[in-house]
Amino acid sequence: MRLIENNPFRMLGVSVNASARDIASNKGKMRLLEVGKSVDFPLDLQNLPSKILSPIERTGENVNVAEREINLPQDKVKYALFWFAQPTDPLGKLAYDHMLQGNVEKAQEIFRHSKTWESKLCLATLSNIMGDSVGAICAISDLIDNDGSVFVRDVVGQTYGINSNELRNIYIKNFCSDIGGISSIKLFSSIEDSAIPRVMWDKLRDISLEITIAEIENEISAAKIGDKKAPEENLDSLNRLRWLTQSRVASVREVLGGDNPRFRHLSDKLADLLRISSIRYYNAVHNSQPTAITKKVVNTCMEIVEYAMSICYGKSLREKLDEDLKFLKDTKEKVLPVLVEQQLVYINSIINKYESLEEKSIGNAISMMKDCAHHIVILKEHSEYRNHYLSISTKVVDAALSWVIDEHNRVSKKEGDASTYNENRRNMYKRALRAVMMMDEFDKETEFNEKQYKQNRETIRKNAEKDGVDMRMYGVWIDFNEFDIRTEDEVYNDCCSHSDYIRYLSRYPNARHKTEAQQEIDRLRNEEENRRRKKEEAEREAKRVREADDKAFYACKTEGDYRDYIKAHPYGLHRTEAEKRKNELEKQIRQKKVIVWGAMIGGAILVIAICSLFWGVDGILASLLTIAIATLVFVIAFGKRSTFRRIKKA
């Protein structure tokens, strides 16, 4: 109990009937606290079983506060009822010593046999420490009934008058306040009226109800729920109101019954507040974004309304709650699926994070789209949520576009040096174009796309072009490693190369096209291997042909050799040079033939001339016949020689 652990008498280390001299003596000892030393007293009860009482923390300030708390007689009586007194009788002293030594059960047994008020107070306090509330109430009731006036006289003096009924009120009220209204009612409900004196039983019942009702009314007054508050704040206040009153209302109804007018009034007051609060929470969510109304939101409101109906008694209020519940049930059938709801919560939190920044910028728009990409892809994967996906995707683009326009307007309004101003505008447009390229990748609702997005997109593009931005960069694809809102199927369909399929499998460990991708990897690997082998074979063949070509060319000597090379190697490496050399050799042969025939004709003429001188006409004819025969023999012999040479070469 806090009244025992934080009792001023405990802080001062004295009993409730200690003299002013004893208190002054302890305060003198506690001057050591000023130099950082600790001070202990016997009533710190360090020998009690562990964790029954929390350790006491003495400081100079705490000691002064404790002394002030027992200055007034009524406060002194209040705290005295929950602390120990120094017994004056031998039996009480014996029990007191056992208590200081930690022998709790022995001390309690002896205290029960002592009839002094000090022993009864010690027994009550010790019972409270040990969790025996019934024993504590019985002991304190015995003290009040038989020794109340003596107790008051010894604690605060003869001048302060207080009757037994007031003492009971003080004790029960502080006892119930300390343990709380619900615990008080539970204690009262668990105690039979014969277990404690009837007068204490009645007071425990009445005061526990008063405290619990006061706690409910305090929670109702403290509930801060408004239309202009953020939905999360309203939900926190609503849950607090619900959970902090639910068990209290049930406890009060259990004691008073549902027919009690006071309980009905309180219960209807709480039910009406819960109804109004649930409406405000629903409206706050709806006003923030119509698509934000999810099953979770509706279920929360339905739980609140159903709870309000369970504690409602007024007819008109119940009718209103019935209408609210019907509306929520109808709404529940139209709200977002769980997956959409989850992703929307994430996307809303991302947008709100950037929205809360003081200045909206293109950089924020780009970062926001990157952060939202993963959640957009999750929705895009589910074709059955197409409408929700388009709505949320459009929301992301709408937010990003508004921030791009904000920075565009800010930069356009700024003044300064012309060159600096123009450079700032160009840099802004470069970033804006990059953001627009990312926005192009998002799917958008038709109305938004046609009436807002395309117009602003075209305006940004034209203004950038006017400001001298290189528009060749406009429309360049965004790096997938930086930003990617393709679905798994789209990523797979875009794969073309071996490395694309490898990246696909690494990106999706449980890929739905894993088998096909692996087959494509194997196919492309085999094709690459075949191409490599064919390339090597082609290189080897080319080398062989090149070497054969070289060998055939460099073996040529005659015009016929070169003619044969050209015929055998029409596309040879040395064809041009072979034709050149063949032509040169043919020219040389023709020249030789001219010389030979010239010599032969000249010789024939000479022979004819000589023959004509010596033998006349007959000699000329004989010489011509001889020359013809010789020429024929020469031609036949020369032709056979050339043919033999060609056959031999072949």
Side-chain angles (χ1 to χ4, degrees), residues 219-339:
E219 292 299 335
I220 292 174
S221 301
K224 298 178 180 179
I225 301 174
D227 291 325
K228 296 183 179 180
K229 283 195 169 188
E232 294 78 10
E233 295 179 3
N234 277 339
L235 180 60
D236 290 341
S237 299
L238 190 55
N239 283 333
R240 174 183 171 83
L241 177 63
R242 175 188 176 187
W243 296 119
L244 291 182
T245 59
Q246 190 167 7
S247 55
R248 290 186 171 97
V249 169
S251 298
V252 173
R253 177 163 51 192
E254 184 179 348
V255 175
L256 289 180
D259 296 331
N260 185 277
R262 185 181 181 188
F263 170 73
R264 285 194 168 199
H265 174 73
L266 176 67
S267 189
D268 282 349
K269 182 179 179 181
L270 176 60
D272 189 41
L273 178 59
L274 288 169
R275 173 183 174 271
I276 294 171
S277 300
S278 66
I279 293 173
R280 287 178 176 173
Y281 167 62
Y282 182 92
N283 290 338
V285 175
H286 187 273
N287 292 336
S288 66
Q289 181 68 26
T291 55
I293 297 297
T294 62
K295 285 189 178 180
K296 182 178 180 182
V297 172
V298 176
N299 285 336
T300 300
C301 292
M302 287 181 66
E303 289 176 5
I304 298 297
V305 171
E306 286 171 351
Y307 169 60
M309 290 184 68
S310 70
I311 62 173
C312 170
Y313 291 92
K315 182 179 179 181
S316 61
L317 179 58
R318 178 171 287 277
E319 290 174 353
K320 293 178 182 178
L321 289 169
D322 283 335
E323 292 177 2
D324 292 344
L325 190 60
K326 184 177 182 301
F327 169 79
L328 291 171
K329 287 179 178 178
D330 293 340
T331 304
K332 186 177 180 180
E333 297 177 358
K334 304 173 185 177
V335 296
L336 303 177
V338 175
L339 176 67

Side-chain angles (χ1 to χ4, degrees), residues 59-334:
T59 64
E61 182 179 356
N62 290 344
V63 170
N64 292 333
V65 170
E67 192 173 16
R68 288 195 298 271
E69 284 180 336
I70 57 174
N71 274 340
L72 298 177
Q74 60 268 32
D75 292 333
K76 200 169 187 179
V77 169
K78 165 188 167 181
Y79 288 113
L81 288 169
F82 295 92
W83 194 239
F84 299 98
Q86 175 69 52
T88 55
D89 63 304
L91 201 58
K93 289 181 179 179
L94 178 61
Y96 193 80
D97 290 338
H98 278 292
M99 181 187 72
L100 296 179
Q101 293 171 13
N103 300 325
V104 177
E105 294 181 359
K106 188 69 174 176
Q108 286 180 305
E109 183 182 351
I110 299 174
F111 277 136
R112 289 189 184 97
H113 292 87
S114 176
K115 301 301 180 183
T116 63
W117 73 266
E118 296 94 341
S119 295
K120 295 173 184 176
L121 181 61
C122 288
L123 179 60
T125 305
L126 204 54
S127 296
N128 271 325
I129 291 175
M130 301 306 295
D132 180 12
S133 300
V134 173
I137 292 174
C138 289
I140 210 73
S141 179
D142 187 13
L143 182 153
I144 293 171
D145 289 340
N146 298 304
D147 305 291
S149 58
V150 180
F151 161 76
V152 173
R153 183 195 63 200
D154 289 352
V155 170
V156 298
Q158 294 180 350
T159 57
Y160 183 69
I162 186 172
N163 59 40
S164 299
N165 191 51
E166 290 173 329
L167 279 177
R168 292 189 191 92
N169 284 337
I170 291 173
Y171 183 83
I172 296 298
K173 186 175 181 179
N174 285 285
F175 176 87
C176 292
S177 297
D178 192 85
I179 66 174
I182 294 178
S183 298
S184 300
I185 289 180
K186 287 181 179 179
L187 175 64
F188 155 75
S189 300
S190 65
I191 298 176
E192 296 182 4
D193 54 2
S194 60
I196 60 175
R198 181 70 189 190
V199 64
M200 296 296 278
W201 190 87
D202 290 339
K203 287 193 176 296
L204 181 60
R205 175 184 182 275
D206 296 341
I207 292 176
S208 63
L209 284 172
E210 290 295 334
I211 290 175
T212 305
I213 291 172
E215 289 173 350
I216 295 172
E217 291 176 339
N218 288 338
E219 292 299 335
I220 292 174
S221 301
K224 298 178 180 179
I225 301 174
D227 291 325
K228 296 183 179 180
K229 283 195 169 188
E232 294 78 10
E233 295 179 3
N234 277 339
L235 180 60
D236 290 341
S237 299
L238 190 55
N239 283 333
R240 174 183 171 83
L241 177 63
R242 175 188 176 187
W243 296 119
L244 291 182
T245 59
Q246 190 167 7
S247 55
R248 290 186 171 97
V249 169
S251 298
V252 173
R253 177 163 51 192
E254 184 179 348
V255 175
L256 289 180
D259 296 331
N260 185 277
R262 185 181 181 188
F263 170 73
R264 285 194 168 199
H265 174 73
L266 176 67
S267 189
D268 282 349
K269 182 179 179 181
L270 176 60
D272 189 41
L273 178 59
L274 288 169
R275 173 183 174 271
I276 294 171
S277 300
S278 66
I279 293 173
R280 287 178 176 173
Y281 167 62
Y282 182 92
N283 290 338
V285 175
H286 187 273
N287 292 336
S288 66
Q289 181 68 26
T291 55
I293 297 297
T294 62
K295 285 189 178 180
K296 182 178 180 182
V297 172
V298 176
N299 285 336
T300 300
C301 292
M302 287 181 66
E303 289 176 5
I304 298 297
V305 171
E306 286 171 351
Y307 169 60
M309 290 184 68
S310 70
I311 62 173
C312 170
Y313 291 92
K315 182 179 179 181
S316 61
L317 179 58
R318 178 171 287 277
E319 290 174 353
K320 293 178 182 178
L321 289 169
D322 283 335
E323 292 177 2
D324 292 344
L325 190 60
K326 184 177 182 301
F327 169 79
L328 291 171
K329 287 179 178 178
D330 293 340
T331 304
K332 186 177 180 180
E333 297 177 358
K334 304 173 185 177

